[in-house]
Amino acid sequence: MFEERRWGSYRVLDYQTLDDGSEFLTKRLRIRAGKNLSYQYHMQRSEIWTVIVGRGELVLDGRFIPMKPGDVAHIPVGAKHAIRAVTELEIVEVQLGTRLIEEDIVRLFFSWEELLRSLSE
């Protein structure tokens, strides 16, 4: 599965349901330079992001973390997170949880500017 988004695109690499009923989904995301994923959180899944190409800036629960190839971010259930591509950015994302559905995404801010304003208040 491949999908274009406002920030770039993603391709699903793998999906499985484990014996205990939990699921995992692996995606490869390409984020265009200057674009960002929305500031969001999930109640039914955690994520692991591994940067494979490019540089970005992760915001994890209000904390800024520079990201480069080889860096790994662990995003627990309920943690607010977003990333902005400083250069063209490629990430492998692994989602782990009980239900990996779009309805589990709670988006707080779409634009990086809104996110920055909210963190400075």
Side-chain angles (χ1 to χ4, degrees):
M1 179 179 159
F2 176 83
E3 190 167 326
E4 293 280 340
R5 293 290 179 107
R6 63 176 178 76
W7 42 262
S9 63
Y10 74 84
R11 179 176 310 281
V12 173
L13 303 175
D14 193 21
Y15 170 81
Q16 282 190 1
T17 302
L18 303 176
D19 290 340
D20 66 0
S22 61
E23 303 172 315
F24 79 84
L25 176 70
T26 306
K27 295 180 178 180
R28 183 171 181 155
L29 288 76
R30 290 193 169 125
I31 306 168
R32 292 190 305 271
K35 299 294 184 179
N36 65 277
L37 302 184
S38 62
Y39 194 50
Q40 59 185 263
Y41 65 92
H42 316 282
M43 296 310 299
Q44 298 182 50
R45 73 172 179 239
S46 63
E47 296 178 343
I48 301 167
W49 291 353
T50 304
V51 176
I52 54 174
V53 174
R55 297 194 177 275
E57 186 174 32
L58 170 69
V59 176
L60 182 59
D61 280 333
R63 197 178 60 155
F64 288 82
I65 303 165
M67 300 291 288
K68 64 184 183 322
D71 287 347
V72 177
H74 296 268
I75 303 164
V77 171
K80 298 173 188 171
H81 59 282
I83 194 164
R84 181 179 69 90
V86 175
T87 66
E88 185 85 7
L89 187 63
E90 292 187 30
I91 296 171
V92 172
E93 173 185 274
V94 179
Q95 301 175 6
L96 307 150
T98 54
R99 292 189 67 216
L100 305 180
I101 56 174
E102 278 293 304
E103 292 77 19
D104 187 41
I105 301 172
V106 179
R107 289 187 175 86
L108 303 170
F109 302 106
F110 282 94
S111 80
W112 199 252
E113 293 74 24
E114 289 176 301
L115 169 57
L116 294 178
R117 274 196 304 273
S118 75
L119 295 175
S120 67
E121 295 176 349

